Amino acid sequence: MKFLTKFVDYNDPKSFGSRIREKRSYIIKDMICDVFEKKGSVNIIDIGGRKTYWNTIGEEFLTEKKCKITLLNLENIDCPNDSEIFKFQYGDACQIPFSDKFFHIAHSNSVIEHVGNMEDMLKFSKETQRIAKSYYVQTPNFWFPFEPHFMFPFFHWLPKPLRIKMIQNFNLGHIEKSNNLIDAIIKIESANLLTSKEIKNLFTDGKQIREKVFGITKSITAIRKEDENCNCS
């Protein structure tokens, strides 16, 4: 599975995963342009975000559009204290410590599937809609046959006991082999992929953009924009 891990390595700009992410970035760049044209600056919260994710967008673009990005996470992974663009904020994605509509854009990339059960996902969706007028929430599609965390075909469709057994015996994708049953269960339950219908019901005031690979929807992005007529390149 090392080949598959490298295939979607987001730290490698030439990998398939990085190219997909770069292609997807036009959505958030368009939203940033929209806000900048109206406000003159852009205040973004990246829920569960990391600074390295924004390499695809580029600091030159972010500086030009006067972006300030708050990386909300449970730990500061790669946000320098002296950054002009980024700042770290400790916080829970299901209980965000900011007032209503504090940000122009709420952004989240492949995070909602990690927050817990459906009740937790509902809290996440409500918080995302509460803290900003516009939002961008991307998540892998449950019905895509390749599981992006364990990087094993059809893995998420297999019975849970079998998945637990597999992670007890093998390293799978980004996930290391578990030494005991409890650790294996925790790892299996750490990612719960969503369907398009579930996303629609969680983000009822937004629209969906579906990213396809080989004609199959690989990921789903729910967005809400104040102005749908923005066409900034």
Side-chain angles (χ1 to χ4, degrees):
M1 294 301 166
K2 288 185 178 180
F3 167 75
L4 292 176
T5 302
K6 186 174 179 57
F7 190 62
V8 294
D9 182 7
Y10 293 116
N11 293 318
D12 179 1
K14 295 182 179 180
S15 74
F16 176 76
S18 292
R19 293 199 301 269
I20 285 287
R21 180 174 285 183
E22 183 177 3
K23 185 177 180 181
R24 188 190 303 150
S25 68
Y26 84 92
I27 305 171
I28 188 65
K29 290 175 80 170
D30 183 70
M31 295 176 75
I32 289 172
C33 287
D34 182 25
V35 174
F36 179 73
E37 288 176 353
K38 292 187 291 185
K39 307 292 184 180
S41 62
V42 190
N43 191 16
I44 302 169
I45 182 169
D46 187 0
I47 305 168
R50 301 185 183 188
K51 179 178 177 294
T52 50
Y53 164 87
W54 294 90
N55 291 342
T56 304
I57 306 297
E59 290 202 18
E60 183 178 351
F61 175 86
L62 296 173
T63 300
E64 178 186 337
K65 303 305 178 186
K66 297 183 180 179
C67 295
K68 297 295 182 183
I69 302 175
T70 298
L71 303 173
L72 183 85
N73 220 318
L74 297 176
E75 58 179 325
N76 188 350
I77 298 172
D78 64 356
C79 182
N81 295 325
D82 59 349
S83 174
E84 294 293 322
I85 298 173
F86 301 93
K87 73 173 184 178
F88 171 76
Q89 171 67 51
Y90 176 85
D92 183 346
C94 298
Q95 193 173 359
I96 299 175
F98 289 97
S99 58
D100 294 359
K101 303 299 182 287
F102 186 87
F103 296 94
H104 295 130
I105 300 171
H107 172 280
S108 177
N109 184 78
S110 296
V111 173
I112 188 171
E113 71 269 20
H114 297 293
V115 300
N117 58 25
M118 186 56 69
E119 183 178 5
D120 296 317
M121 293 180 190
L122 179 60
K123 291 177 182 177
F124 176 99
S125 69
K126 288 181 176 179
E127 285 293 88
T128 301
Q129 294 170 79
R130 178 185 67 80
I131 57 172
K133 292 183 179 180
S134 300
Y135 62 71
Y136 169 109
V137 178
Q138 184 273 344
T139 188
N141 176 28
F142 176 83
W143 292 115
F144 191 72
F146 186 75
E147 210 288 338
H149 307 96
F150 297 90
M151 296 190 181
F152 194 91
F154 318 117
F155 182 79
H156 50 308
W157 297 346
L158 298 175
K160 185 176 179 180
L162 178 55
R163 286 181 283 146
I164 292 171
K165 197 69 174 178
M166 289 176 67
I167 200 62
Q168 285 183 284
N169 288 277
F170 305 103
N171 295 325
L172 295 175
H174 301 298
I175 315 299
E176 294 184 358
K177 180 174 66 175
S178 295
N179 295 320
N180 60 75
L181 175 62
I182 299 302
D183 183 61
I185 293 172
I186 290 172
K187 287 177 177 177
I188 292 299
E189 293 180 346
S190 68
N192 298 290
L193 302 189
L194 292 157
T195 67
S196 174
K197 188 173 183 179
E198 288 168 337
I199 290 294
K200 182 178 180 180
N201 280 270
L202 287 169
F203 297 94
T204 56
D205 63 347
K207 70 175 185 180
Q208 289 186 18
I209 295 177
R210 301 186 184 189
E211 175 185 277
K212 293 183 180 291
V213 175
F214 305 122
I216 306 172
T217 299
K218 176 184 177 293
S219 72
I220 305 159
T221 303
I223 67 168
R224 179 180 69 195
K225 296 172 60 177
E226 287 190 84
D227 181 5
E228 293 295 336
N229 295 321
C230 174
N231 188 26
C232 182
S233 59

